């Protein structure tokens, strides 16, 4: 698999990859945000889920008025959505700077995609363990982030050969 990935990256080339990488990462971010707001938030902030934990903490007699619960859920969902949108805007700025070949932004993207691909492995197992379902959203984002991470790392370690210069092989 590593050989296949290297062949693909060599066909793409460093310059074209630095154009593709930030957009691939942003596409994965969009999938991740959709998954978080459409699947995770409704699941985590459902009335049944919240009441289960309130009763665990305060006992079986605990009660929370419906209106209070609705306000709490609305504020939490809205706040989380705003946070994710701000995070996405930040990643858009980073993507633009990677497109412009900023070394610090490339380092950030390398660390970001590496950590998200790694954490996605645990998310896959955790989701399957808790829900007995395979999480396609996480799997797709793990592949996309992994591709960007592997490519950035590959081109970081591969020496740049300027056109018209002699290499050791010549």
């Amino acid at each position: 698999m590593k050989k296949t990935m290297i062949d693909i990256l060599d066909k793409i080339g460093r310059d074209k990859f630095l154009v593709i990488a930030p957009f691939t990462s942003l596409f994965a971010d969009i999938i991740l945000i959709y998954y978080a707001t459409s699947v995770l938030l409704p699941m985590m902030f459902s009335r049944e889920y919240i009441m289960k934990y309130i009763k665990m903490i305060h006992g079986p007699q605990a009660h929370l008025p419906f209106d209070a619960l609705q306000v709490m859920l609305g504020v939490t969902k809205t706040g989380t959505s705003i946070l994710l949108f701000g995070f996405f805007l930040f990643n858009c700025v980073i993507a633009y700077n990677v497109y412009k070949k900023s070394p610090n932004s490339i380092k950030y993207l390398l660390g970001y995609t590496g950590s998200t691909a790694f954490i996605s492995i645990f998310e896959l197992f955790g989701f399957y363990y808790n829900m007995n379902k395979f999480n396609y959203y996480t799997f797709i984002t793990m592949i996309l982030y992994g591709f960007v991470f592997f490519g950035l790392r590959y081109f970081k370690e591969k020496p740049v050969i300027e056109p018209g210069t002699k290499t050791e092989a010549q």
Side-chain angles (χ1 to χ4, degrees):
M1 177 151 164
K2 186 176 179 180
K3 176 73 172 134
T4 306
M5 183 69 93
I6 289 171
D7 290 342
I8 291 169
L9 291 171
D10 282 337
K11 285 181 186 173
I12 293 173
R14 180 190 311 264
D15 290 336
K16 194 182 286 186
F17 183 79
L18 286 177
V19 172
I20 293 170
F23 293 109
T24 304
S25 179
L26 287 176
F27 180 65
D29 287 345
I30 291 169
I31 293 170
L32 190 61
I33 290 170
Y34 175 80
Y35 165 67
T37 57
S38 300
V39 177
L40 280 182
L41 286 179
M43 180 178 61
M44 290 173 59
F45 298 119
S46 68
R47 179 173 175 74
E48 296 79 27
Y49 194 80
I50 298 290
M51 289 308 295
K52 176 179 140 184
Y53 286 100
I54 287 175
K55 289 181 180 188
M56 275 178 45
I57 295 169
H58 298 290
Q61 308 303 350
H63 177 70
L64 187 64
F66 183 75
D67 292 347
L69 182 63
Q70 289 305 106
V71 169
M72 185 172 42
L73 292 175
V75 167
T76 305
K77 287 178 183 180
T78 302
T80 304
S81 296
I82 290 170
L83 178 73
L84 290 173
F85 182 70
F87 177 70
F88 180 72
L89 285 179
F90 176 77
N91 281 348
C92 286
V93 172
I94 294 296
Y96 174 76
N97 288 327
V98 169
Y99 177 75
K100 293 292 186 180
K101 297 182 175 83
S102 166
N104 290 333
S105 294
I106 292 171
K107 285 180 188 176
Y108 171 84
L109 190 61
L110 179 68
Y112 172 70
T113 56
S115 62
T116 51
F118 182 71
I119 291 170
S120 295
I121 295 168
F122 295 108
E123 168 70 18
L124 278 175
F125 287 116
F127 192 87
Y128 186 77
Y129 177 77
N130 289 325
M131 303 295 203
N132 291 328
K133 295 181 198 174
F134 186 74
N135 187 341
Y136 292 100
Y137 295 108
T138 302
F139 181 72
I140 290 168
T141 58
M142 182 182 70
I143 298 296
L144 293 172
Y145 287 134
F147 171 72
V148 172
F149 172 74
F150 187 81
L152 289 173
R153 194 160 166 229
Y154 173 71
F155 287 121
K156 178 182 172 188
E157 294 171 359
K158 189 176 179 181
V160 177
I161 300 171
E162 296 294 326
T165 61
K166 294 190 177 208
T167 62
E168 292 179 23
Q170 289 178 334

